[in-house]
Amino acid sequence: MITWGDFYKVMSAMVPLYFSMLVAYASVKWFNVFTSAQCSGINRFVAVFAVPVLSFHFISRNNPYQMDSQFLLADTLSKLSLLFSLSLWLLFFRSATLDWLITLFSLSSLPNTLVMGIPLLQAMYGHFTHSLMVQLVVLQSIVWYTLLLFLFEYRAATFLIRSKFPGPTAASIVKFEVDGDVISLDGRDVPLRTETETDSHGRIRVRIRRSTSSAPDSTLSSSVGLATPRLSNAEIFSANTPLHLLQSHHAGAAEDIRFGYPTGSPRVIDYATSSDACSLQATPRASNFNEYEMTMPRSPPLWTTSPASGGRNYQQLSPGMCQGGDGPGCREITVSEKEISFRDITDIPMLEEGGAKDSVGTNQKMPRALVMMRLILNVVGRKLLRNPNTYSSVLGLVWSLISFKWNIGMPSLVNSCVEIVSDAGLGMAMFSLGLFMALQPRIIACGAKRAAMGMALRFLLGPLVMAAASVAIGLRGPKLRAAIVQASLPQGIVPFVFAREYGVHPDILSTGVIFGMLISLPVTLLYYVFLGL
């Protein structure tokens, strides 16, 4: 039976976190304390230092030789069950796409365990849950986020191959070579091009390069880039911006919009998500998932809008030739306001959705599985090496193996340095989330129906599958209750970062993070009370 004392203990653990988020939200939304660039800097500190050090702090203090295999097996079984069910749906239903498989898996099985799970579960069920949550954090960081990244890169690789090698040509590819400066096959942030070389036996070797790299070799044939660099909100007018405001904008910015890429406009960063949120690159990319994107990352033509042409939209057939709708490489197209709104921003480049399987053709072939596997693992490895959370998780696990094996304590000097940063990590993570919420025009960015679907997956399907897996494994008592409540935590932030970077339903994932965080406390309290009856 849950007592008022238990309830107060839970609230004492959670209210400070929500207070930090509320302070950040108010400081931007109501009091204008921080600019968008300053918010980006705070987020950069949280992503590169605070959260990785916090993760290292928890993992390094957890005894890996006392892992609860039954609890971890129940969590693994629940995730594999969801992934297997979604895979069957993808195979046997024509309307299913890989994009939706990734999104539904992220929503239903990847909660925010590090920031929300550890303090909440410890307050509800005692200190033993601290070790359980840390074990899940290790498994989630090393296994499930890597698998999610693999799925995103597989999606990007299949699109690249289908767009550059349609029909049976791709089956002849025997090797992919990826330049060292290419860290993703998506081509959304940095345009990519492919160069091919065919031997006397018809076998094709493909080299993937950035379009800004040096000129291709004379023996290789170049292809058109995949996309143009994207602009931030500060550099692009909204589709609903009045024409007189567009005309009053300075000519340099107008030129940037016409050509589809920035040439000299100032870069004001609203909120650093995507690659800069989990990367060691020196300069954060100016991006916000609430952009007015008119690029077509799934096909060579580019979508642009021209203020000089009264806001009409054009399909740019030749890069750099569409100027205000007058160039020879420009063809005017009709796009409704609904299609270019944020709510459906991901529907424009997503050729797989709505019968896109037919657009590829029934005779589309792919390279051998081993060739594809090498390509994707190569790119995934590069991205993991740029992610500070990879180092914090691996180093924390290695140190815990050494420390608990030979009973070696961390030197007090190093321990103090880690603690002073990790102590700020939890509060700063919530503070950064509050800044992110304040910078968004809408809390529910994907519409009511999709938001309801996302909340049902996060707070109903996830806990239900976890409960079934836990009972099947044999969990009982407090561990069973902790497993169910852990599955009802709000949406994890890392899946949203990936979704934003690869352009796969970022509006749904952002709603899961923001709106899910707002309703997660009453939802988890309801689970806590119900399970305690």
Side-chain angles (χ1 to χ4, degrees), residues 131-181:
S131 176
L132 295 179
M133 293 302 104
V134 172
Q135 293 169 30
L136 291 184
V137 168
V138 175
L139 198 63
Q140 193 165 275
S141 300
I142 296 178
V143 177
W144 299 113
Y145 286 160
T146 303
L147 174 62
L148 190 64
L149 183 60
F150 182 91
L151 292 175
F152 277 115
E153 285 297 335
Y154 173 78
R155 169 188 174 273
T158 55
F159 163 65
L160 184 146
I161 292 171
R162 288 173 178 175
S163 62
K164 301 301 180 184
F165 306 96
T169 307
S172 302
I173 299 176
V174 295
K175 185 178 181 180
F176 286 97
E177 295 181 359
V178 184
D179 279 9
D181 56 356

Side-chain angles (χ1 to χ4, degrees), residues 171-359:
S172 302
I173 299 176
V174 295
K175 185 178 181 180
F176 286 97
E177 295 181 359
V178 184
D179 279 9
D181 56 356
V182 175
I183 61 170
S184 176
L185 300 176
D186 183 60
R188 288 168 55 86
D189 297 328
V190 179
L192 300 178
R193 69 165 178 254
T194 57
E195 302 171 358
T196 61
E197 187 176 58
T198 306
D199 62 14
S200 57
H201 300 284
R203 294 174 298 186
I204 301 174
R205 180 175 64 87
V206 180
R207 182 179 181 181
I208 302 175
R209 310 182 66 181
R210 297 175 63 170
S211 65
T212 54
S213 302
S214 57
D217 299 335
S218 57
T219 58
L220 300 179
S221 59
S222 298
S223 63
V224 182
L226 288 178
T228 56
R230 294 175 298 159
L231 307 180
S232 69
N233 279 354
E235 297 164 335
I236 295 185
F237 281 104
S238 167
N240 298 321
T241 304
L243 182 60
H244 71 276
L245 293 181
L246 292 171
Q247 293 172 345
S248 64
H249 191 55
H250 62 83
E255 288 294 326
D256 293 342
I257 303 171
R258 262 202 304 274
F259 282 96
Y261 57 92
T263 56
S265 58
R267 300 183 67 88
V268 181
I269 304 172
D270 289 338
Y271 184 84
T273 58
S274 185
S275 57
D276 62 301
C278 58
S279 172
L280 293 176
Q281 60 190 20
T283 305
R285 178 177 57 82
S287 69
N288 185 306
F289 76 94
N290 185 38
E291 298 171 357
Y292 170 32
E293 292 182 348
M294 296 303 291
T295 59
M296 286 286 290
R298 284 187 172 271
S299 60
L302 310 175
W303 298 83
T304 60
T305 184
S306 173
S309 60
R312 289 178 294 169
N313 300 288
Y314 296 92
Q315 182 179 10
Q316 184 175 338
L317 304 179
S318 302
M321 297 182 65
C322 181
Q323 304 183 24
D326 300 328
C330 189
R331 178 166 62 90
E332 184 173 359
I333 48 88
T334 301
V335 182
S336 66
E337 182 177 349
K338 181 178 183 294
E339 290 175 318
I340 58 177
S341 67
F342 168 74
R343 176 173 175 177
D344 299 284
I345 193 170
T346 56
D347 292 338
I348 298 175
M350 283 175 161
L351 296 183
E352 289 185 6
E353 297 204 2
K357 294 181 180 181
D358 295 336
S359 65

Side-chain angles (χ1 to χ4, degrees), residues 51-52 54-56 58-59 75 79 109-115 118 133-149 380 384 387-395 397 494-495 498:
V51 171
L54 177 67
S55 178
F56 172 82
F58 284 142
I59 296 173
D75 180 75
K79 290 179 170 58
S109 62
L110 297 175
N112 192 346
T113 307
L114 176 64
V115 177
I118 293 176
M133 293 302 104
V134 172
Q135 293 169 30
L136 291 184
V137 168
V138 175
L139 198 63
Q140 193 165 275
S141 300
I142 296 178
V143 177
W144 299 113
Y145 286 160
T146 303
L147 174 62
L148 190 64
L149 183 60
V380 169
L384 291 177
N387 190 341
N389 289 292
T390 302
Y391 297 96
S392 65
S393 300
V394 172
L395 289 176
L397 184 60
V494 173
F498 287 158

Side-chain angles (χ1 to χ4, degrees), residues 437-517:
M437 293 173 59
L439 289 171
Q440 309 315 312
R442 296 193 298 267
I443 292 179
I444 301 178
C446 61
K449 291 183 179 179
R450 289 189 174 185
M453 176 201 70
M455 296 304 102
L457 290 171
R458 177 84 297 261
F459 297 113
L460 294 178
L461 180 62
L464 181 62
V465 175
M466 185 64 183
S470 300
V471 171
I473 294 299
L475 286 183
R476 298 293 185 273
K479 286 187 179 180
L480 174 61
R481 294 192 287 271
I484 297 174
V485 173
Q486 178 270 335
S488 66
L489 293 172
Q491 177 64 44
I493 299 176
V494 173
F496 162 68
V497 172
F498 287 158
R500 173 65 191 92
E501 181 173 355
Y502 290 90
V504 181
H505 303 130
D507 51 351
I508 299 178
L509 269 296
S510 68
T511 301
V513 171
I514 299 174
F515 188 64
M517 184 66 70

